[in-house]
Amino acid sequence: MNQNYPVIIIGAGPIGLAAAAHLIERHQDVRILESGTNAGAAIQDWGHIKLFSTWKYNIDAASRRLLETPTDTYAGDWEAPRETRLPSGADMVSEYLEPLAAHPALAPNISYGHRVTNITRIQADGKSVDKTRSAGRDESLFLVRTQTATGTEDLLGRAVIDASGTWNTPNPVGRSGIEAIGETQARSAGFITSSLPDPVGTDQEIFAGKTILVLGAGHSAANTLISLGHLRQQHPDTTILWGLRGVANPVKLYGGGAADELPARGQLGTSLRRFVENGDITILENLSVTSLESDDRLTVNIADGRNQVVDLLVPATGFRPNLGMLSELRLDLDAIVEAPRELGPLIDPEFHSCGTVTAHGERVLSHPEKNFYIVGMKSYGRAPTFLMATGYEQVRSIAASLAGDRAAADLVELELPETGVCSTDLGGSCDAPAVGEQAATCGTPEPAADSCCTTPEQANEPAPDSCCAPQPVTIGFATGTLHGHTELLGEPASR
């Protein structure tokens, strides 16, 4: 009976659309709910950022088959971008996601402007199945409540795949995981920017000549700081402050040098170190923010009694999943990173990077709530090591399970380049961004037309078939503290 209802997919980003493509290929009905006005709406917010991985690793197999296969109503004339080219976020939307969302098999099933606020379960006759009710729960339907421009709408489905990402729920700038006093007012007043602004592009007038505090020590922070460094070369009156919540550790800040098995990650650190040593960027240690005061400028008050007055604060502090809309569902989450319990230890950023995460599918992603799955970036909870390729394998396995193909669901594989290349569907999670001057874009330089894997910097890029392209392996090189940095960091390798 439940087969008469669709699988509801939340989010029309690359992972959500891939889930739909795999389900359609297996003759399953789908309904896609997207809060934005177009496919890949969240990606457009960081469209200026380049992914670290080339197109080869950013196109889902089922989606590609759908785009390249002619039908009575579709010409099948989509041409995939060159595999060795690095896409920006804007490229991902215009060259891949928009054509995919416009496909006749998908377009009628996508509802834009539908923001999901609650998910619960309900019997087919309309009777309640709240979180406490167990009898008949597995056979009940899902009720998905959405907010639209015309009001509230309830939709019914036989399964739900939550691919909504984490872009809209950044971590606060306050200490210990909660907002600083006055943080909400500072955001409303415009003192706190987006997590990945474009200081050398569309946001240049906002940043030029200002005092800017970038808070965070990950690759989102590095991308912004390097862009600001280039901005300061054009506008020397720009002041760049780099706020760290702890003590500056060169291994953590600059990639560990020879101990980092990803050359591009070390190159990113080299570019960042140069700006710091040249005096373009000033590091502020132990910046534990207690409160923010919004006036003509923003005063940042710190736990040790210091305060810093700035014009703008960039919150490169990571993201977290929105679990509020799932409060009526029975979830089994890892207590540390808020990912599915079996996945949590595999992705904990204290010990792992994307290159050490093994392939995983429907069984690892399942919850006590039957036929409900969190996929993509949101499935990684607070961990920033998500792979686009990993997300595609997640939804392939889940689609097989929902279609009744248990063998295919359990046969999980993940092919990555030898460097453990990372990409993301929301930005800020590139585990191994750029080399050289391209570092600010979280990408690597395009290989020269006549070069074939000739430099260490190009080792992270697949070369043309006639060259020495790296062979796919099950997992990439180890880069987490459990696999290379433990001695340098002086931290125990245990969880």
Side-chain angles (χ1 to χ4, degrees):
M1 180 269 302
N2 283 359
Q3 294 295 325
N4 295 326
Y5 295 87
V7 176
I8 294 178
I9 300 167
I10 305 171
I15 308 304
L17 293 181
H22 280 279
L23 286 163
I24 288 171
E25 196 170 60
R26 289 179 172 273
H27 309 291
Q28 306 295 302
D29 292 332
V30 300
R31 177 79 179 272
I32 306 165
L33 306 176
E34 167 57 46
S35 62
T37 58
N38 59 276
I43 294 178
Q44 287 185 322
D45 288 345
W46 50 269
H48 58 288
I49 298 292
K50 277 196 176 183
L51 300 180
F52 177 75
S53 52
T54 62
W55 273 112
K56 179 178 180 180
Y57 301 101
N58 292 320
I59 297 176
D60 168 66
S63 300
R64 182 169 189 152
R65 289 191 292 269
L66 194 65
L67 286 166
E68 293 180 340
T69 304
T71 67
D72 293 341
T73 57
Y74 177 70
D77 53 357
W78 178 79
E79 294 185 9
R82 178 165 55 86
E83 286 190 343
T84 55
R85 182 161 65 86
L86 289 158
S88 66
D91 294 335
M92 280 289 293
V93 174
S94 64
E95 298 180 45
Y96 174 49
L97 297 181
E98 286 182 347
L100 182 59
H103 190 283
L106 283 179
N109 303 312
I110 304 176
S111 297
Y112 296 106
H114 279 61
R115 181 175 297 279
V116 175
T117 59
N118 300 94
I119 306 174
T120 187
R121 302 201 78 150
I122 193 170
Q123 292 183 0
D125 60 5
K127 291 182 180 178
S128 173
V129 183
D130 65 17
K131 193 171 186 176
T132 66
R133 182 184 176 97
S134 297
R137 187 175 191 87
D138 288 352
E139 291 72 41
S140 63
L141 297 168
F142 287 91
L143 184 150
V144 179
R145 175 159 293 173
T146 67
Q147 191 66 40
T148 73
T150 58
T152 302
E153 183 178 351
D154 285 345
L155 304 169
L156 299 180
R158 68 179 183 88
V160 172
I161 298 175
D162 183 356
S164 58
T166 58
W167 178 249
N168 292 316
T169 48
N171 287 325
V173 302
R175 56 184 173 172
S176 301
I178 63 173
E179 284 195 345
I181 297 171
E183 184 170 341
T184 299
Q185 294 88 332
R187 288 184 186 275
S188 299
F191 289 118
I192 300 179
T193 73
S194 69
S195 299
L196 282 168
D198 188 9
V200 292
T202 57
D203 298 327
Q204 184 168 154
E205 290 187 7
I206 299 172
F207 283 87
K210 301 295 179 59
T211 296
I212 303 128
L213 171 62
V214 178
L215 185 61
H219 290 97
S220 292
N223 287 326
T224 298
L225 287 163
I226 293 172
S227 291
L228 287 170
H230 290 300
L231 177 68
R232 191 173 188 274
Q233 292 175 340
Q234 304 171 37
H235 301 275
D237 54 343
T238 303
T239 300
I240 309 167
L241 306 174
W242 183 7
L244 304 173
R245 285 176 167 160
V247 176
N249 182 319
V251 175
K252 289 182 177 180
L253 297 185
Y254 305 123
D260 196 327
E261 291 181 307
L262 288 172
R265 184 156 127 170
Q267 288 294 323
L268 174 68
T270 299
S271 297
L272 188 54
R273 184 194 294 268
R274 183 175 65 249
F275 281 120
V276 173
E277 293 180 347
N278 289 345
D280 293 305
I281 297 172
T282 300
I283 293 178
L284 303 178
E285 299 180 315
N286 298 313
L287 210 70
S288 185
V289 180
T290 59
S291 63
L292 301 171
E293 298 175 22
S294 302
D295 200 348
D296 293 336
R297 302 177 77 196
L298 180 68
T299 300
V300 181
N301 297 311
I302 306 165
D304 59 10
R306 291 175 293 160
N307 60 66
Q308 182 70 52
V309 178
V310 300
D311 297 302
L312 295 168
L313 190 158
V314 181
T317 49
F319 302 84
R320 60 180 59 181
N322 173 13
L323 301 174
M325 67 183 188
L326 310 179
S327 61
E328 282 300 320
L329 301 180
R330 297 179 179 181
L331 306 181
D332 187 16
L333 298 173
D334 177 79
I336 298 174
V337 296
E338 295 181 336
R341 185 175 299 277
E342 288 191 38
L343 180 59
L346 303 178
I347 62 174
D348 190 332
E350 291 261 342
F351 312 107
H352 291 279
S353 78
C354 59
T356 62
V357 177
T358 56
H360 55 277
E362 188 272 342
R363 289 194 187 275
V364 169
L365 296 167
S366 63
H367 291 276
E369 199 68 73
K370 186 177 179 181
N371 292 336
F372 172 80
Y373 304 95
I374 303 172
V375 300
M377 187 66 199
K378 189 172 181 177
S379 72
Y380 273 45
R382 301 192 185 196
T385 48
F386 172 71
L387 288 155
M388 192 94 72
T390 300
Y392 292 153
E393 179 62 7
Q394 288 179 342
V395 296
R396 183 210 60 78
S397 173
I398 290 169
S401 176
L402 291 174
D405 190 345
R406 187 71 257 168
D410 289 340
L411 186 62
V412 290
E413 297 176 343
L414 182 61
E415 290 190 348
L416 308 176
E418 291 180 346
T419 48
V421 66
C422 270
S423 59
T424 174
D425 63 352
L426 58 77
S429 299
C430 303
D431 195 58
V435 249
E437 296 303 311
Q438 291 290 328
T441 61
C442 197
T444 54
E446 296 269 351
D450 58 351
S451 67
C452 293
C453 310
T454 55
T455 68
E457 290 83 2
Q458 292 173 357
N460 285 335
E461 288 198 43
D465 292 341
S466 59
C467 299
C468 50
Q471 295 301 308
V473 291
T474 303
I475 59 174
F477 273 38
T479 55
T481 57
L482 186 63
H483 306 276
H485 292 325
T486 304
E487 293 181 2
L488 287 170
L489 294 179
E491 297 175 351
S494 60
R495 189 183 194 272

